[in-house]
Amino acid sequence: MIRVLIVDDQVMVREGFSVLLNAMPDIEVVGEAVDGRQAVQKVAVLKPDVVLMDIRMPEMNGLEATREIVAADADAKVLVLTTFDLDEYVYQALRSGASGFLLKDASAGQLAEGVRIVASGEALLAPTVTKRLISEFSRLGTPRAPAQERIADLTERETEVLVLVAQGLSNSEISEHLVVAESTVKTHVSRILVKLGLRDRTQAAVFAYEARLVTPGG
């Protein structure tokens, strides 16, 4: 069972997500939190597999809570809930250690699948969110020098895989695109994370954007 903690200051949202997720045979909602501070406390006690995190909340917002949760447990997986009017927070949340994003108007199936993807260790970067992220990096201007310098540590194939990860492709999709075994893709991703000192695929995506390996239209 995938154990989930739902964090949102709106009781109807929490109850709605709880009903949808508990209806899944492989997912169990183990708790709810009304703000970021309570989320940090409950994560420490409940040890959920995935934290479904809203961004705008009183006391402590989702960005601050995500930073604290990831700082306390590098393996923690936070799936951030976002809406179209929260684009400015996408980049900040990724930098805070979020494992992915899900739009608040997602269907029950999309919600459950998002939880499963993040629980399995994959990044969840929906195409709509990825486009906004690329636009944000374009707005920021020049790439970060350290990120560009570290690209030299990667092989040509690893760089190619990194770009595809940043574009939101899963291991299976990358294997189809490159016509290689999925196990080979997993090996490449693991080596990329080790070489660049990154914790997961989402950080790898951030790195690719910062190094300008992915650009608008690219």
Side-chain angles (χ1 to χ4, degrees):
M1 294 290 284
I2 301 172
R3 304 170 73 254
V4 177
L5 174 69
I6 298 175
V7 187
D8 196 295
D9 61 328
Q10 297 181 41
V11 63
M12 289 185 67
V13 172
R14 295 198 307 274
E15 291 180 350
F17 284 152
S18 291
V19 170
L20 292 175
L21 292 176
N22 278 326
M24 302 296 165
D26 58 337
I27 299 175
E28 177 188 10
V29 176
V30 295
E32 299 178 6
V34 300
D35 58 45
R37 194 170 305 284
Q38 192 176 87
V40 173
Q41 296 169 347
K42 291 204 171 186
V43 166
V45 175
L46 299 173
K47 305 290 184 184
D49 299 308
V50 176
V51 179
L52 206 54
M53 180 78 74
D54 187 24
I55 289 182
R56 286 181 173 172
M57 295 180 293
E59 296 297 325
M60 178 186 286
N61 65 39
L63 297 177
E64 295 170 325
T66 297
R67 275 193 291 269
E68 288 204 17
I69 289 169
V70 173
D73 180 3
D75 294 325
K77 295 177 175 61
V78 180
L79 180 55
V80 172
L81 297 167
T82 185
T83 55
F84 287 109
D85 64 337
L86 286 174
D87 293 347
E88 69 272 22
Y89 292 109
V90 171
Y91 171 68
Q92 295 179 53
L94 278 179
R95 294 292 297 169
S96 297
S99 295
F101 291 85
L102 197 65
L103 297 177
K104 271 198 168 183
D105 60 357
S107 66
Q110 291 172 326
L111 176 64
E113 187 58 23
V115 168
R116 294 185 187 109
I117 289 172
V118 170
S120 71
E122 298 240 3
L124 181 63
L125 294 173
T128 51
V129 175
T130 302
K131 288 176 183 176
R132 287 175 172 75
L133 192 60
I134 294 173
S135 297
E136 174 67 8
F137 275 90
S138 175
R139 186 183 66 77
L140 290 173
T142 57
R144 295 191 177 191
Q148 279 197 313
E149 292 169 3
R150 289 157 65 192
I151 295 174
D153 295 334
L154 304 179
T155 64
E156 184 176 342
R157 177 45 65 95
E158 286 168 350
T159 301
E160 190 175 7
V161 170
L162 176 59
V163 169
L164 295 175
V165 167
Q167 291 174 341
L169 274 65
S170 66
N171 285 344
S172 61
E173 291 170 333
I174 293 174
S175 70
E176 289 180 13
H177 182 83
L178 298 180
V179 195
V180 298
E182 189 171 341
S183 59
T184 301
V185 175
K186 290 181 180 178
T187 298
H188 283 314
V189 172
S190 295
R191 287 177 178 167
I192 289 168
L193 297 180
V194 171
K195 285 185 177 181
L196 300 179
L198 305 172
R199 68 185 288 266
D200 57 25
R201 295 169 70 95
T202 310
Q203 282 200 346
V206 171
F207 177 93
Y209 297 136
E210 289 183 336
R212 308 298 275 176
L213 289 176
V214 181
T215 57

